[in-house]
Amino acid sequence: MLKYSIRKRQFRILTCKLAFPAVDLTRSIKFLQRGIAAAETHYIYRALRTAFSLRKRLQPDVIAEVIAAYNASANSQSVAACLKSALAQLQQNPAEHPAAGVCEPEVCLFLGLLAMLCLLDNKQLERGAELADVLVGVVSSAQRRTVDPIASRVFFYYSRFFEIADRLSDARPALLSALQAATLAGMKETKAMLLTLLLRNYLHYKLYDQAERLTAKSSFPADAPNNLLARYLYYMGHIEAVQLNYSQAQTHLLEATRKAPSNAATAGFQQTVHKIYVIVELLMGNIPDRSLFRVPTLKKPLQPYLELTQAVRVGDLNKFQEVVGKYQDRFLQDNVLVLIQRLRHNVIKAGIRSISIAYSRISLRDICLKLHLDSEEDAEYIVAKAIRDGVIDATIDHEKGSVQSAEVHNVYETSDPQYAFDKRIAFCLSLYNDSVKSMRYPGSDHRKELASAIEAIKRERELAQELENDDYDGDSDEDVMDEGP
């Protein structure tokens, strides 16, 4: 009897686990419908947060049954065509279901997004790309505020399908057209997503000039989510580093590391940003702090860059070339080999600076031997250029073939402390302005559709009552107003 009760309990638990995805999907759609009725996006974000938790549990047949139920009540041709395409790509033929209610574009896009995730997980790239094309058509026909959060994710996976299939250039015309439409419609999150996707597209094919023209003619939305802002800053830093704007690149890369969350989920992004950040610091003549290379998530990926930094700091040209040859494939994979090849001049400058500090007078022949240069003429040219650039304070005695270093002055008698303080003050002011902007609440123009605040409160209570009646098991301590990732 005891074994029978245990087996019966296990069967109930298994049945509940299988039924939960369909129940959770229905609740997510309720959030979407509530957000559409109230013109509130935080309901849409709540539904999107559940979508990624459903990704690992939903099966194609479950998604197909829900799509078939809403296909019977589609109120537009684009929505009906999208739902039919989703069923065709999933290769499911569910039984007929009664109409589940009016299928708004938001619900259609949400179901299509789930279908795309299912196709992506099953490595069905061609079908996923075809479904993504249909969903992009639905987005272009329904440009409104509540579509914005879902549309941004649709475009992300649209580009992702083409990137995995190594056809990223084929997605560029659709992304450019969608960027223009999103800008005119005021869809800020979609615009931010499309800008980052286009910059990634251009960087993939090394089209740095086109990427610069795109950023010059478009503005990134100020209230975009932090994850999109961090990616945008990283791409901007990469572009500016290639185009020799090292100071701006350093600023953008540093902001990208601070905007991105510092957890295990974003470790890959942090590693990618810091690789370019280290090279930009070296190109600017700075040596990155040693503590940066001791961070647990960065220690192993930045090991080649640590050896590179040590070679630049010492000014050993032979060691620098040895490190570049040893990790050339790694640097090529990280797409930073072009930047690293520019460091050769910095290595020579660092060597000349250390020689100038150690010796008050030294012959060009000795400089040639210490820096492993080809001839004394090369050493004389490099020293002359270092003096002109302000790297060292010295004079060249052409008759004796030597370099005479000037006396070391007190650094506080120069303008260097002023430049350092000015840089820190500018950073503090920028941080203060960003903090003030983040504390501002969005406008309330979209609330004019509500008759009064009392009706809004009543709707909140009705939603809470519905969730309670459905025995909702969501996160009780999670703020409903919190926007999705």
Side-chain angles (χ1 to χ4, degrees):
M1 186 68 182
L2 180 60
K3 291 183 179 180
Y4 174 76
S5 61
I6 293 175
R7 290 178 180 176
K8 188 175 181 181
R9 183 180 179 182
Q10 292 176 347
F11 177 77
R12 288 179 179 177
I13 293 174
L14 180 61
T15 305
C16 292
K17 287 183 179 180
L18 294 175
F20 277 161
V23 175
D24 291 343
L25 180 57
T26 304
R27 288 169 182 163
S28 299
I29 295 175
K30 286 184 179 180
F31 276 117
L32 291 173
Q33 294 171 344
R34 178 63 58 148
I36 297 169
E40 292 282 357
T41 57
H42 63 270
Y43 294 110
I44 310 296
Y45 285 111
R46 189 64 182 268
L48 288 173
R49 284 199 297 273
T50 61
F52 297 102
S53 64
L54 288 171
R55 179 176 181 175
K56 298 180 180 179
R57 297 181 293 160
L58 276 179
Q59 298 297 326
D61 54 346
V62 177
I63 303 176
E65 289 181 1
V66 179
I67 291 175
Y70 281 94
N71 188 27
S73 58
N75 57 355
S76 67
Q77 295 181 356
S78 60
V79 172
C82 177
L83 295 177
K84 291 179 181 178
S85 176
L87 289 174
Q89 300 303 333
L90 289 173
Q91 293 184 337
Q92 298 291 328
N93 189 17
E96 295 184 1
H97 291 271
V102 179
C103 185
E104 297 289 344
E106 290 84 353
V107 178
C108 173
L109 291 173
F110 181 74
L111 295 175
L113 179 63
L114 292 176
M116 275 201 304
L117 292 175
C118 183
L119 293 173
L120 181 62
D121 294 338
N122 294 328
K123 307 298 182 181
Q124 299 177 2
L125 302 180
E126 293 295 334
R127 296 174 186 171
E130 293 178 5
L131 178 58
D133 283 330
V134 179
L135 291 176
V136 168
V138 175
V139 172
S140 61
S141 63
Q143 297 177 354
R144 55 191 185 189
R145 185 170 177 270
T146 51
V147 175
D148 190 18
I150 310 177
S152 65
R153 287 155 177 81
V154 168
F155 281 112
F156 174 80
Y157 288 103
Y158 172 79
S159 178
R160 182 62 179 162
F161 276 113
F162 283 93
E163 183 176 2
I164 296 175
D166 199 16
R167 296 189 297 113
L168 198 55
S169 59
D170 297 340
R172 195 181 307 153
L175 295 178
L176 288 170
S177 177
L179 176 61
Q180 182 180 8
T183 303
L184 296 175
M187 301 170 66
K188 296 181 180 180
E189 186 173 348
T190 302
K191 178 183 177 181
M193 177 65 76
L194 289 169
L195 279 173
T196 57
L197 292 176
L198 284 169
L199 290 179
R200 181 180 180 86
N201 198 310
Y202 288 134
L203 287 175
H204 181 77
Y205 293 101
K206 297 180 175 58
L207 302 174
Y208 301 108
D209 293 335
Q210 295 186 24
E212 185 186 16
R213 288 197 293 268
L214 174 66
T215 56
K217 295 181 179 180
S218 58
S219 58
F220 192 81
D223 52 351
N226 273 350
N227 58 345
L228 293 178
L229 178 58
R231 291 169 56 193
Y232 178 78
L233 291 171
Y234 161 68
Y235 293 137
M236 287 294 297
H238 195 169
I239 294 168
E240 289 164 346
V242 172
Q243 296 187 338
L244 307 178
N245 299 324
Y246 297 134
S247 59
Q248 290 293 328
Q250 181 198 34
T251 302
H252 285 147
L253 292 171
L254 189 60
E255 290 182 1
T257 59
R258 290 170 176 167
K259 292 291 184 182
S262 56
N263 51 39
T266 60
F269 179 79
Q270 293 283 354
Q271 294 167 5
T272 303
V273 176
H274 277 95
K275 289 175 182 178
I276 299 183
Y277 175 74
V278 169
I279 298 175
V280 171
E281 283 284 309
L282 295 175
L283 288 170
M284 293 182 66
N286 304 327
I287 301 299
D289 192 2
R290 184 61 183 265
S291 61
L292 175 65
F293 300 97
R294 294 175 179 172
V295 179
T297 57
L298 302 177
K299 186 175 182 179
K300 185 176 180 180
L302 293 185
Q303 179 61 32
Y305 299 86
L306 174 60
E307 298 182 16
L308 196 68
T309 302
Q310 292 172 345
V312 174
R313 183 179 62 85
V314 176
D316 190 343
L317 191 59
N318 282 347
K319 184 178 180 182
F320 170 77
Q321 294 175 348
E322 180 183 349
V323 172
V324 174
K326 180 180 178 181
Y327 297 105
Q328 185 174 0
D329 295 337
R330 178 83 64 86
F331 294 146
L332 191 61
Q333 183 180 1
D334 295 339
N335 199 18
V336 294
L337 186 59
V338 176
L339 297 175
I340 290 175
Q341 289 173 349
R342 300 178 187 175
L343 285 174
R344 184 177 184 274
H345 301 287
N346 294 67
V347 176
I348 297 174
K349 286 181 181 179
I352 293 175
R353 188 186 298 112
S354 61
I355 291 173
S356 175
I357 295 173
Y359 298 91
S360 61
R361 179 187 292 269
I362 187 172
S363 64
L364 293 174
R365 177 63 179 173
D366 292 336
I367 293 177
C368 182
L369 294 175
K370 288 181 178 294
L371 297 180
H372 306 284
L373 300 177
D374 296 333
S375 64
E376 294 183 18
E377 289 76 9
D378 292 343
E380 184 177 357
Y381 169 77
I382 292 171
V383 171
K385 190 174 186 303
I387 294 173
R388 181 184 176 183
D389 296 340
V391 176
I392 60 174
D393 186 6
T395 56
I396 300 177
D397 190 344
H398 298 282
E399 295 180 357
K400 298 180 179 179
S402 62
V403 177
Q404 177 70 40
S405 300
E407 295 182 1
V408 179
H409 298 284
N410 187 3
V411 69
Y412 290 101
E413 295 179 358
T414 65
S415 58
D416 290 345
Q418 179 183 353
Y419 294 147
F421 280 119
D422 180 70
K423 184 178 179 180
R424 295 177 183 179
I425 291 171
F427 170 74
C428 293
L429 291 176
S430 176
L431 182 63
Y432 172 77
N433 293 332
D434 292 342
S435 302
V436 172
K437 289 180 182 179
S438 64
M439 290 189 292
R440 294 177 182 173
Y441 292 95
S444 57
D445 295 338
H446 59 279
R447 296 178 180 269
K448 294 181 180 179
E449 299 181 5
L450 300 178
S452 63
I454 299 176
E455 294 183 5
I457 295 173
K458 187 184 295 184
R459 287 191 175 94
E460 292 283 351
R461 291 176 178 175
E462 290 176 359
L463 176 62
Q465 187 65 30
E466 291 177 5
L467 296 177
E468 184 178 357
N469 293 337
D470 290 341
D471 197 15
Y472 180 65
D473 59 345
D475 298 334
S476 60
D477 57 346
E478 187 176 4
D479 189 6
V480 179
M481 294 298 292
D482 183 23
E483 294 189 349

PDB file of all heavy atoms in Angstrom, residues 279-287 312 343 346 353:
ATOM      1  N   ILE A 279      44.916  46.691 -24.413  1.00  0.00           N
ATOM      2  CA  ILE A 279      45.703  47.132 -25.570  1.00  0.00           C
ATOM      3  C   ILE A 279      45.604  48.643 -25.745  1.00  0.00           C
ATOM      4  O   ILE A 279      46.604  49.322 -26.050  1.00  0.00           O
ATOM      5  CB  ILE A 279      45.223  46.391 -26.832  1.00  0.00           C
ATOM      6  CG1 ILE A 279      45.444  44.887 -26.668  1.00  0.00           C
ATOM      7  CG2 ILE A 279      45.957  46.900 -28.065  1.00  0.00           C
ATOM      8  CD1 ILE A 279      44.891  44.062 -27.793  1.00  0.00           C
ATOM      9  N   VAL A 280      44.416  49.203 -25.548  1.00  0.00           N
ATOM     10  CA  VAL A 280      44.257  50.655 -25.664  1.00  0.00           C
ATOM     11  C   VAL A 280      45.085  51.380 -24.608  1.00  0.00           C
ATOM     12  O   VAL A 280      45.711  52.415 -24.879  1.00  0.00           O
ATOM     13  CB  VAL A 280      42.766  51.030 -25.567  1.00  0.00           C
ATOM     14  CG1 VAL A 280      42.584  52.536 -25.466  1.00  0.00           C
ATOM     15  CG2 VAL A 280      42.003  50.500 -26.779  1.00  0.00           C
ATOM     16  N   GLU A 281      45.114  50.835 -23.401  1.00  0.00           N
ATOM     17  CA  GLU A 281      45.942  51.435 -22.351  1.00  0.00           C
ATOM     18  C   GLU A 281      47.420  51.420 -22.760  1.00  0.00           C
ATOM     19  O   GLU A 281      48.142  52.408 -22.566  1.00  0.00           O
ATOM     20  CB  GLU A 281      45.760  50.659 -21.048  1.00  0.00           C
ATOM     21  CG  GLU A 281      44.469  50.962 -20.313  1.00  0.00           C
ATOM     22  CD  GLU A 281      44.535  52.296 -19.597  1.00  0.00           C
ATOM     23  OE1 GLU A 281      45.498  52.527 -18.846  1.00  0.00           O
ATOM     24  OE2 GLU A 281      43.621  53.111 -19.808  1.00  0.00           O
ATOM     25  N   LEU A 282      47.876  50.332 -23.325  1.00  0.00           N
ATOM     26  CA  LEU A 282      49.269  50.254 -23.766  1.00  0.00           C
ATOM     27  C   LEU A 282      49.546  51.214 -24.919  1.00  0.00           C
ATOM     28  O   LEU A 282      50.619  51.841 -24.983  1.00  0.00           O
ATOM     29  CB  LEU A 282      49.601  48.819 -24.184  1.00  0.00           C
ATOM     30  CG  LEU A 282      49.568  47.765 -23.074  1.00  0.00           C
ATOM     31  CD1 LEU A 282      49.790  46.383 -23.657  1.00  0.00           C
ATOM     32  CD2 LEU A 282      50.608  48.060 -22.004  1.00  0.00           C
ATOM     33  N   LEU A 283      48.601  51.355 -25.842  1.00  0.00           N
ATOM     34  CA  LEU A 283      48.785  52.277 -26.953  1.00  0.00           C
ATOM     35  C   LEU A 283      48.827  53.729 -26.491  1.00  0.00           C
ATOM     36  O   LEU A 283      49.440  54.582 -27.147  1.00  0.00           O
ATOM     37  CB  LEU A 283      47.659  52.084 -27.977  1.00  0.00           C
ATOM     38  CG  LEU A 283      47.714  50.803 -28.809  1.00  0.00           C
ATOM     39  CD1 LEU A 283      46.445  50.609 -29.598  1.00  0.00           C
ATOM     40  CD2 LEU A 283      48.920  50.830 -29.742  1.00  0.00           C
ATOM     41  N   MET A 284      48.166  54.027 -25.386  1.00  0.00           N
ATOM     42  CA  MET A 284      48.193  55.382 -24.834  1.00  0.00           C
ATOM     43  C   MET A 284      49.435  55.640 -23.983  1.00  0.00           C
ATOM     44  O   MET A 284      49.614  56.740 -23.449  1.00  0.00           O
ATOM     45  CB  MET A 284      46.942  55.621 -23.989  1.00  0.00           C
ATOM     46  CG  MET A 284      45.660  55.657 -24.792  1.00  0.00           C
ATOM     47  SD  MET A 284      44.229  56.006 -23.764  1.00  0.00           S
ATOM     48  CE  MET A 284      44.592  57.682 -23.248  1.00  0.00           C
ATOM     49  N   GLY A 285      50.276  54.638 -23.831  1.00  0.00           N
ATOM     50  CA  GLY A 285      51.482  54.799 -23.043  1.00  0.00           C
ATOM     51  C   GLY A 285      51.313  54.481 -21.574  1.00  0.00           C
ATOM     52  O   GLY A 285      52.231  54.728 -20.776  1.00  0.00           O
ATOM     53  N   ASN A 286      50.155  53.939 -21.197  1.00  0.00           N
ATOM     54  CA  ASN A 286      49.904  53.576 -19.806  1.00  0.00           C
ATOM     55  C   ASN A 286      50.129  52.086 -19.601  1.00  0.00           C
ATOM     56  O   ASN A 286      50.018  51.289 -20.537  1.00  0.00           O
ATOM     57  CB  ASN A 286      48.474  53.941 -19.404  1.00  0.00           C
ATOM     58  CG  ASN A 286      48.171  55.412 -19.636  1.00  0.00           C
ATOM     59  OD1 ASN A 286      49.048  56.252 -19.505  1.00  0.00           O
ATOM     60  ND2 ASN A 286      46.933  55.721 -20.001  1.00  0.00           N
ATOM     61  N   ILE A 287      50.417  51.722 -18.372  1.00  0.00           N
ATOM     62  CA  ILE A 287      50.573  50.310 -18.009  1.00  0.00           C
ATOM     63  C   ILE A 287      49.386  49.917 -17.127  1.00  0.00           C
ATOM     64  O   ILE A 287      49.166  50.527 -16.079  1.00  0.00           O
ATOM     65  CB  ILE A 287      51.897  50.066 -17.255  1.00  0.00           C
ATOM     66  CG1 ILE A 287      53.082  50.487 -18.116  1.00  0.00           C
ATOM     67  CG2 ILE A 287      52.022  48.601 -16.857  1.00  0.00           C
ATOM     68  CD1 ILE A 287      53.216  49.728 -19.424  1.00  0.00           C
ATOM     69  N   VAL A 312      56.016  45.252 -23.021  1.00  0.00           N
ATOM     70  CA  VAL A 312      55.929  46.689 -23.308  1.00  0.00           C
ATOM     71  C   VAL A 312      56.501  47.503 -22.154  1.00  0.00           C
ATOM     72  O   VAL A 312      57.195  48.512 -22.359  1.00  0.00           O
ATOM     73  CB  VAL A 312      54.466  47.080 -23.591  1.00  0.00           C
ATOM     74  CG1 VAL A 312      54.339  48.593 -23.753  1.00  0.00           C
ATOM     75  CG2 VAL A 312      53.960  46.381 -24.844  1.00  0.00           C
ATOM     76  N   LEU A 343      51.809  48.316 -31.355  1.00  0.00           N
ATOM     77  CA  LEU A 343      52.516  48.466 -30.087  1.00  0.00           C
ATOM     78  C   LEU A 343      54.029  48.433 -30.246  1.00  0.00           C
ATOM     79  O   LEU A 343      54.748  48.721 -29.277  1.00  0.00           O
ATOM     80  CB  LEU A 343      52.089  47.354 -29.113  1.00  0.00           C
ATOM     81  CG  LEU A 343      50.709  47.484 -28.479  1.00  0.00           C
ATOM     82  CD1 LEU A 343      50.386  46.245 -27.669  1.00  0.00           C
ATOM     83  CD2 LEU A 343      50.649  48.718 -27.591  1.00  0.00           C
ATOM     84  N   ASN A 346      55.478  51.621 -29.331  1.00  0.00           N
ATOM     85  CA  ASN A 346      55.379  51.869 -27.890  1.00  0.00           C
ATOM     86  C   ASN A 346      56.454  51.112 -27.118  1.00  0.00           C
ATOM     87  O   ASN A 346      56.963  51.594 -26.104  1.00  0.00           O
ATOM     88  CB  ASN A 346      53.990  51.477 -27.377  1.00  0.00           C
ATOM     89  CG  ASN A 346      52.899  52.359 -27.947  1.00  0.00           C
ATOM     90  OD1 ASN A 346      52.619  52.321 -29.138  1.00  0.00           O
ATOM     91  ND2 ASN A 346      52.282  53.167 -27.100  1.00  0.00           N
ATOM     92  N   ARG A 353      62.694  55.459 -22.979  1.00  0.00           N
ATOM     93  CA  ARG A 353      62.406  56.180 -21.726  1.00  0.00           C
ATOM     94  C   ARG A 353      63.200  55.586 -20.564  1.00  0.00           C
ATOM     95  O   ARG A 353      63.763  56.321 -19.741  1.00  0.00           O
ATOM     96  CB  ARG A 353      60.913  56.117 -21.434  1.00  0.00           C
ATOM     97  CG  ARG A 353      60.500  57.002 -20.255  1.00  0.00           C
ATOM     98  CD  ARG A 353      59.042  56.817 -19.874  1.00  0.00           C
ATOM     99  NE  ARG A 353      58.158  57.190 -20.969  1.00  0.00           N
ATOM    100  CZ  ARG A 353      57.405  56.348 -21.656  1.00  0.00           C
ATOM    101  NH1 ARG A 353      57.446  55.039 -21.368  1.00  0.00           N
ATOM    102  NH2 ARG A 353      56.609  56.763 -22.617  1.00  0.00           N
TER     103      ARG A 353
END
